[in-house]
Amino acid sequence: MYQFKVPDKIMMGDNIVATVENVFNLYGKHALIVTGPNVARSTMIASLERTLDNDRVKYSVITSIEGEPTVSMIEHGVEAYRENGCDFIIGLGGGSPLDASKAIAAMTVLEGSIADYKGVRIDDAVLPPVVCIPTTAGTGSEVTKYTIITDENTGVKMLLTGNSLLPKMAMLDYTFSNGCPKTVTAATGIDALTHAIEAFISVNAQPLTDALALSAIKRIMRYLPQAYRDGSNFNARREMAIAALQAGICINNSSVTLIHGMSRPIGAKFHVPHGMSNAMLLNVCLSDMEMAARHNLARIATYLRIQAVDEIDASEKFVEEVEKLIEKLGVPTMSEYGINRSEYMAAIDDMSFEAIMSGSPSHAPREYTADDIREIYIKAYK
């Protein structure tokens, strides 16, 4: 049996944040806007505030979500939500503010610390409504039941999940990712590509996610290089925004696999942004899964009209195309990024254990042990 979950409402279009009417007031009377310092200085938040004013919705703003969200950031957000008498939350920004908005909503209701909910599904809690407005094309957090929060005390990136965390509305304004820096465009774009590929080869794949994943992969392979080369290419930005949302829906229903499981420990231990750590691992992980995922990778190649003589050739050629894309985007190696080799090697055992414990590798098309993952970590650095 398959289940397919998305937010109650998804709105998409050009400049829609500035032009919608009587939408935000459906969710409450006083919004907490959760964002970061860069977006807070942009025209995007000004556009949102004008619309809220027109809808007669009060709002308070926190701009402290800088970098990937931490437990203390979430605690600050919960305090602001309660002190200002808010009744719903708007996440505005990249994956970090969107993840933070879901976590803040959860902790306005749940007891204890957010660290208590690592590995515990949050399915039945009635949370304040969350509206997510992405400004990057990558994480798909606006349409997922996942949030990743770093515990500063342990250095662990905690994956929290559950149907209660799914936003009530995702609002995709195509204009909001214009001018995104090249490095962010590359990292978030590869993150979206990873979502789509992993969902398609996951043991939990289903017909609806297959269709969305293929569409997302095709868009990303075509338009990500264009968006990377020219940040003002609006058509490429729009197509990437759509692809990221599609890929987010895919992982919400079919899950991620090996790559994400291995990515989170690298991000936590070496302070690598999530999309970048995915990009660093994508080649080696996809190559390792290629034989087990061959039929589905060949299906992707066929959809992309990659010429091949048989299924083996098609699968291998798709992996090669992904490698070429990563080269075009200038993704650095781990040593080029500045990860110290000795420190990395010393951390591999812990990272392998954390990757297995995340549960994500269990959705891969073949079984993985901690020893298997250890060997892939070593290959990835080389």
Side-chain angles (χ1 to χ4, degrees), residues 186-206:
T188 55
I190 289 294
D191 191 19
L193 179 63
T194 305
H195 290 162
I197 294 173
E198 288 197 283
F200 195 75
I201 66 175
S202 165
V203 295
N204 300 318
Q206 55 168 289

Side-chain angles (χ1 to χ4, degrees), residues 69-79 100 103-104 107 114 149:
T70 63
V71 171
S72 60
M73 291 181 191
I74 303 309
E75 291 172 347
H76 169 68
V78 171
E79 183 179 350
I104 291 168
M107 297 315 298
I114 192 169
I149 308 298

Side-chain angles (χ1 to χ4, degrees), residues 97-109:
L98 304 191
D99 276 7
S101 67
K102 292 184 278 188
I104 291 168
M107 297 315 298
T108 63
V109 173

Side-chain angles (χ1 to χ4, degrees), residues 181-191 193 220-230 240 275-276 279 282 321-332:
K182 293 182 74 170
T183 54
V184 176
T185 297
T188 55
I190 289 294
D191 191 19
L193 179 63
I220 294 166
M221 297 297 287
R222 178 176 180 180
Y223 292 105
L224 179 54
Q226 296 180 27
Y228 178 76
R229 287 194 304 268
D230 179 8
M240 282 302 302
M276 184 60 71
L282 181 56
E321 288 301 311
V322 173
E323 291 173 353
K324 290 176 186 177
L325 175 63
I326 289 174
E327 290 178 6
K328 287 179 185 177
L329 300 177
V331 174

Side-chain angles (χ1 to χ4, degrees), residues 91-264:
L92 174 67
S96 294
L98 304 191
D99 276 7
S101 67
K102 292 184 278 188
I104 291 168
M107 297 315 298
T108 63
V109 173
L110 301 176
E111 297 180 353
S113 166
I114 192 169
D116 299 334
Y117 296 91
K118 178 187 176 185
V120 178
R121 287 191 61 89
I122 307 170
D123 282 327
D124 300 317
V126 179
L127 307 184
V130 175
V131 176
C132 284
I133 308 173
T135 62
T136 61
T139 70
S141 184
E142 66 273 14
V143 288
T144 73
K145 59 188 174 187
Y146 306 114
T147 179
I148 299 176
I149 308 298
T150 299
D151 187 335
E152 305 102 306
N153 295 324
T154 63
V156 173
K157 284 192 177 184
M158 303 179 295
L159 174 64
L160 285 76
T161 183
N163 293 326
S164 296
L165 296 175
L166 189 63
K168 289 297 182 184
M169 181 173 75
M171 182 173 284
L172 190 65
D173 192 319
Y174 302 145
T175 64
F176 273 20
S177 64
N178 275 358
C180 191
K182 293 182 74 170
T183 54
V184 176
T185 297
T188 55
I190 289 294
D191 191 19
L193 179 63
T194 305
H195 290 162
I197 294 173
E198 288 197 283
F200 195 75
I201 66 175
S202 165
V203 295
N204 300 318
Q206 55 168 289
L208 289 176
T209 58
D210 281 356
L212 288 171
L214 287 171
S215 178
I217 292 167
K218 187 173 184 177
R219 278 189 162 95
I220 294 166
M221 297 297 287
R222 178 176 180 180
Y223 292 105
L224 179 54
Q226 296 180 27
Y228 178 76
R229 287 194 304 268
D230 179 8
S232 62
N233 184 327
F234 179 71
N235 183 58
R237 292 290 188 187
R238 178 181 59 227
E239 294 298 322
M240 282 302 302
I242 295 169
L245 183 139
Q246 290 177 316
I249 293 174
C250 289
I251 63 168
N252 191 57
N253 292 279
S254 294
S255 78
V256 290
T257 67
L258 176 67
I259 302 165
H260 273 71
M262 293 181 63
S263 172
R264 294 185 202 104

